[in-house]
Amino acid sequence: MDVFKQLKEEVNLIHFRWITYRQIYAQGPEVIELLNSNGGYFFYITQHLYLDNVSLAFSKLTDPNRQRGNENLSLKQLIVIANDRKDIELAQVLKAKFEELFDACQKFRVHRNKRIAHADLAHATGSAEEPLPGISRQYVEDALKLLRDFMNAYELETSNSQTAYQHIQLKPDYVGGVLIKALEKAKNT
């Protein structure tokens, strides 16, 4: 089993989904108006599903490597692998980068634990003393950068290469872009 390969697929997927999210929801007020006038509630729900997916993905990636006797596909597995290979320097670098990423993902974990995966009674009934923390696009971008740093530290040490996850090449009219163009075309006909 190639843990790094599987984690790399997960990291590529979260970047792909985030690029798609930005193509749809981060294009400015004209596009937001276009979305709102063409199924606004659908796009509202979809936006929240994208953000929930990001919260879940970061939470899973930063979960412990083992829980309740089960192994998890999480970034901590790479620290275990480095330790098993007696590459203590890499393990220490990864541990420090993991801790920074873990700290930067706390809002994702709160959402997963109190709203997405579980229904915290106080938050569900509106009686919580503090609301759930907001998750901004910048918060996601910052977490993605830390995720890339972690993955590339491992990849650089083990295969002398790195991956530019943030530069996934999508066709110009792929996914979000084609949706926006179709909505614009429908509006103008």
Side-chain angles (χ1 to χ4, degrees):
M1 165 178 62
D2 190 344
V3 172
F4 177 75
K5 181 180 175 184
Q6 290 302 122
L7 285 168
K8 189 172 182 175
E9 286 183 25
E10 292 294 321
V11 173
N12 273 321
L13 187 57
I14 193 173
H15 279 83
F16 171 78
R17 288 179 179 155
W18 187 246
I19 289 168
T20 304
Y21 174 90
R22 287 192 336 237
Q23 287 176 338
I24 298 170
Y25 296 102
Q27 299 303 314
E30 299 85 19
V31 171
I32 297 301
E33 177 57 36
L34 184 65
L35 298 176
N36 287 337
S37 63
N38 287 282
Y41 190 64
F42 168 81
F43 288 109
Y44 170 81
I45 290 170
T46 304
Q47 180 179 24
H48 285 274
L49 290 173
Y50 267 105
L51 293 173
D52 286 355
N53 182 271
V54 166
S55 293
L56 286 171
F58 272 107
S59 295
K60 289 189 314 185
L61 287 169
T62 58
D63 271 343
N65 59 299
R66 177 183 285 279
Q67 286 177 299
R68 298 181 189 100
N70 295 312
E71 296 278 338
N72 288 330
L73 179 65
S74 73
L75 299 174
K76 279 199 158 186
Q77 291 291 355
L78 298 180
I79 299 170
V80 170
I81 290 169
N83 278 319
D84 288 349
R85 292 180 180 165
K86 306 287 189 246
D87 192 341
I88 304 306
E89 186 176 324
L90 176 60
Q92 289 173 343
V93 167
L94 292 176
K95 186 174 185 272
K97 289 184 178 297
F98 179 85
E99 288 172 2
E100 186 178 9
L101 175 61
F102 184 83
D103 290 344
C105 290
Q106 290 309 304
K107 290 180 182 180
F108 299 131
R109 299 182 85 73
V110 168
H111 276 267
R112 177 186 72 174
N113 295 337
K114 294 197 175 281
R115 187 184 55 78
I116 302 169
H118 309 283
D120 177 70
L121 184 60
H123 286 92
T125 60
S127 62
E129 290 184 22
E130 291 185 34
L132 292 172
I135 295 175
S136 67
R137 285 196 304 258
Q138 189 60 54
Y139 185 80
V140 175
E141 295 287 346
D142 293 345
L144 286 169
K145 182 184 182 316
L146 293 171
L147 177 59
R148 291 190 297 269
D149 290 348
F150 178 92
M151 292 293 288
N152 281 324
Y154 183 87
E155 188 173 9
L156 185 61
E157 183 63 30
T158 59
S159 65
N160 201 31
S161 66
Q162 293 183 315
T163 301
Y165 297 97
Q166 72 276 25
H167 297 297
I168 293 173
Q169 295 297 314
L170 302 177
K171 294 178 183 176
D173 290 335
Y174 199 67
V175 189
V178 73
L179 173 64
I180 301 304
K181 284 189 178 203
L183 292 174
E184 288 171 340
K185 183 177 178 182
K187 178 183 174 186
N188 294 327
T189 57

